[in-house]
Amino acid sequence: MISMKMAIVSHVYLLCIFIVAGTADDFIFRKVHLNSAKAVGFSWSNCGGDKDPAVMNTMSLSPDPIVIPGDLKASAAGSTAVALSSPLSVNVTLHKEVAGFWVKVPCVEQIGSCDYEDVCQLLDTLIPPGQDCPEPLHTYGIPCHCPFKSGDYTLPEANFYLPQVDLPYWLTNGNYEIVGVLGNNGQQLGCLKVTLSIHTA
Ligand SMILES: *[C@@H]1O[C@H](CO)[C@@H](O)[C@H](O)[C@H]1NC(C)=O
C-alpha cells in the first residue's frame, strides 16, 4: 500500500470514492445496479496543520474520467514522522452538493460520514495476517498491517480494475467532498481531503 496513510487511503479514502460515494440517506436503503459510473475531476489535498506527522506527498488517479467498471491507474507517496499503530482511527466526513449546498451525508451501514475506531483491526479482518499483502503492495514491499513504521511510503503507478458495484441509488450524479482524519487516541495524525464528481449512466 502506500503509506500507512495510503493504507488507510487505499482502504478507506479511495474506497470512499467508490463506496462512500454511495452513502445512503436514512430513507433510501435501496441499492441499484449501475451499468457504469464515471468519476471526474479527482483532486486531493492535505487538510491538517503543519504539525500533522502523516502527510500525502503525491497522489494521482487516471484516467479522467475514471470509469466504473474499468481500469484505474493510481500512484501515491506519503510519509509519516511517527509510527502508526493501533488504535488507528479514521474519521470520515462526506459532503454531497445538493442544489448548490454542501450537505453532510450521514453514516449508514458503515458508509458515509463514519468514524472508524481502528483501521488496524479492519486491515487484519480484510487481509489475514500472515498472508501476502494484495498486489501491487506485495510487489513493492508496502506493508498492509499495523504498525506502519515512520518513514516514506511510495506506490509507483499501478493498475487496478474497478469492478461493477451496487450502490445506493441516490448516489447518482453529483459533486462529493470526502475528508478523512487519521488519529490515535484522539490525537490528529493526518488529514486528507478528496473531491470529485460522479456521473452515472
Ligand atoms: C474521531 O471520532 C471520535 C468519535 O467517534 C473521537 O473521539 C476522536 O477524537 C476523533 N478523532 C480525531 C483525531 O479527531
Side-chain angles (χ1 to χ4, degrees):
M1 151 128 303
I2 314 133
S3 60
M4 37 32 138
K5 190 119 200 229
M6 260 316 268
I8 294 135
V9 170
S10 292
H11 285 80
V12 178
Y13 297 152
L14 287 184
L15 282 180
C16 285
I17 297 169
F18 310 108
I19 300 169
V20 168
T23 308
D25 286 282
D26 297 319
F27 56 102
I28 305 175
F29 271 101
R30 209 144 51 89
K31 298 278 203 305
V32 283
H33 197 65
L34 299 170
N35 283 329
S36 73
K38 288 180 182 173
V40 192
F42 169 84
S43 72
W44 66 275
S45 62
N46 290 296
C47 41
D50 292 343
K51 287 186 195 146
D52 276 2
V55 291
M56 190 68 79
N57 299 318
T58 64
M59 191 173 169
S60 94
L61 296 184
S62 64
D64 189 358
I66 296 160
V67 177
I68 309 161
D71 292 312
L72 169 73
K73 274 190 205 302
S75 65
S79 62
T80 177
V82 299
L84 301 180
S85 50
S86 182
L88 195 58
S89 61
V90 174
N91 294 358
V92 175
T93 310
L94 174 67
H95 282 89
K96 180 180 184 183
E97 194 177 10
V98 179
F101 293 95
W102 286 94
V103 178
K104 184 175 172 181
V105 178
C107 181
V108 175
E109 294 184 325
Q110 300 284 6
I111 295 173
S113 300
C114 302
D115 293 339
Y116 302 93
E117 274 175 33
D118 191 5
V119 178
C120 297
Q121 265 182 29
L122 219 59
L123 288 171
D124 287 351
T125 307
L126 289 171
I127 310 157
Q131 186 174 309
D132 284 347
C133 291
E135 290 299 342
L137 304 184
H138 181 63
T139 297
Y140 296 109
I142 299 170
C144 55
H145 292 287
C146 297
F148 297 96
K149 290 185 229 166
S150 62
D152 298 326
Y153 291 87
T154 303
L155 177 71
E157 189 168 82
N159 294 303
F160 297 88
Y161 178 72
L162 298 172
Q164 192 159 41
V165 284
D166 288 346
L167 297 171
Y169 94 95
W170 64 268
L171 159 67
T172 49
N173 300 339
N175 298 324
Y176 293 86
E177 181 193 276
I178 302 154
V179 171
V181 174
L182 185 64
N184 182 285
N185 289 318
Q187 195 192 344
Q188 180 168 323
L189 299 176
C191 178
L192 185 75
K193 178 161 100 176
V194 167
T195 57
L196 78 168
S197 305
I198 304 267
H199 298 276
T200 55

